[in-house]
Amino acid sequence: MSQLTPEGWQTINNLAQRYNFSFDAVFSLLQSVINGNGSMAQFSHPEFGGSGQWMRGGMIMLGDMFNNNLKNSVGSLCQELADLVASQPNLLQTGSFQSQTQGNQQQHNFSGGQSQQNSTGNAGSVSLFFPPPPGSSGNWWPAGLQFPNSTGSQNNVRYAYFATIHRLAIEANGHVTLYDTLDHQIGGFSQQQSVGGSITFTSQYGLVDVNNLPVISIDNNPVQPKSEPVYNNEAANIQPINLDGDIFATLERLADLKSKGIVTENEYNAKKAELLSRL
């Protein structure tokens, strides 16, 4: 998996200092710009006023809607990050990356791409990311899944969450399992502090074990859904005991209802014929 180069760290850090944001805030915004293919970004970070959206051309929306100074700073930073991403098209074509913070541990996965920018923000010959191995896109998740909303790793287990298509890929013990996240709106992942510990996530339903999700494939091999139990035909055709007795008992109750005027003669005769036909 490709990693951020020392020059890349320095470039992001320079942007953070220049715009008076933290490294984590600028890095998260860079991820959003990449996920938006360099032309838009949907982000959520407390330093940016919570949730917000940016589009190339000047459109900027923040949760702190009346903070014009913050709008100008975030908008300018998004534009600069978009220009940075645009200088390395291979990043948009072949890879994506996300970070996930769990407790005090910052987790990152990266893939693909070259970028150019120096410490002053002008175009230069600085590579932000180590390129993936030759012949590899750098994506470990199943083919056809391109831009995850978040990724992370811990204890030799890594995940990639694709919110828009309701898919979750997890690589553990050398195998990649793809899950259907159903209607879960996942907000974070965690793992027991041991190698191979179970993975859980939080959604609108609380804490959920990933083992409760339907499995789509394992190592790109489709997994058939669990079928409903099939019962033996002979057992299904067993008739209730003393069926004739039940019919005669029902006829007696019908006759009693008819005598009390609750059931008409026609209704009684029709039901009587139906019951007798079962004998």
Side-chain angles (χ1 to χ4, degrees):
M1 182 66 64
S2 299
Q3 298 290 332
L4 195 66
T5 64
E7 294 83 359
W9 280 95
Q10 186 61 50
T11 299
I12 301 302
N13 190 56
N14 289 341
L15 286 171
Q17 293 180 1
R18 183 146 53 86
Y19 284 93
N20 199 28
F21 292 124
S22 68
F23 180 95
D24 178 73
V26 176
F27 186 75
S28 68
L29 192 58
L30 175 61
Q31 299 172 49
S32 300
V33 171
I34 291 177
N35 283 339
N37 208 35
S39 61
M40 65 168 292
Q42 291 182 323
F43 50 87
S44 179
H45 197 281
E47 293 185 36
F48 303 140
S51 299
Q53 185 174 11
W54 168 85
M55 293 187 67
R56 183 183 288 273
M59 194 283 285
I60 177 75
M61 296 177 60
L62 298 181
D64 190 358
M65 63 182 65
F66 300 112
N67 192 334
N68 292 325
N69 289 332
L70 181 61
K71 281 186 178 181
N72 292 334
S73 296
V74 175
S76 298
L77 178 57
C78 284
Q79 184 63 57
E80 192 161 342
L81 291 173
D83 293 340
L84 180 66
V85 169
S87 69
Q88 38 162 5
N90 287 338
L91 178 62
L92 299 179
Q93 294 173 1
T94 63
S96 63
F97 57 87
Q98 292 285 340
S99 68
Q100 176 77 17
T101 303
Q102 298 176 357
N104 295 324
Q105 182 175 0
Q106 181 75 26
Q107 305 161 7
H108 302 277
N109 280 338
F110 309 86
S111 65
Q114 300 284 331
S115 182
Q116 298 180 340
Q117 185 172 356
N118 60 25
S119 60
T120 63
N122 298 322
S125 57
V126 175
S127 298
L128 287 184
F129 305 101
F130 292 112
S136 171
S137 68
N139 295 345
W140 55 266
W141 44 83
L145 305 178
Q146 292 187 345
F147 300 106
N149 295 83
S150 64
T151 65
S153 62
Q154 185 179 357
N155 295 330
N156 297 319
V157 176
R158 53 186 177 179
Y159 69 84
Y161 173 45
F162 305 83
T164 55
I165 58 175
H166 308 287
R167 292 294 183 266
L168 171 64
I170 294 180
E171 183 184 55
N173 301 318
H175 298 284
V176 177
T177 303
L178 183 64
Y179 297 90
D180 183 349
T181 60
L182 305 173
D183 63 339
H184 289 284
Q185 300 173 12
I186 297 178
F189 296 84
S190 62
Q191 183 186 10
Q192 292 181 355
Q193 296 301 313
S194 61
V195 177
S198 62
I199 299 176
T200 58
F201 62 85
T202 55
S203 73
Q204 70 272 32
Y205 302 117
L207 192 65
V208 182
D209 192 318
V210 297
N211 292 322
N212 293 327
L213 297 177
V215 176
I216 302 298
S217 66
I218 298 177
D219 296 333
N220 286 321
N221 296 315
V223 174
Q224 295 296 328
K226 294 181 179 180
S227 59
E228 296 295 329
V230 177
Y231 299 99
N232 185 281
N233 290 335
E234 182 178 352
N237 291 329
I238 295 177
Q239 297 294 327
I241 298 175
N242 196 23
L243 178 60
D244 293 349
D246 291 341
I247 291 176
F248 291 125
T250 302
L251 286 172
E252 290 179 0
R253 289 196 296 272
L254 281 173
D256 182 57
L257 292 173
K258 181 173 72 73
S259 65
K260 294 178 180 180
I262 299 175
V263 176
T264 66
E265 184 74 25
N266 291 336
E267 290 173 338
Y268 170 77
N269 291 333
K271 193 62 179 178
K272 177 181 177 181
E274 176 186 342
L275 293 172
L276 292 177
S277 66
R278 300 181 186 179
L279 296 176

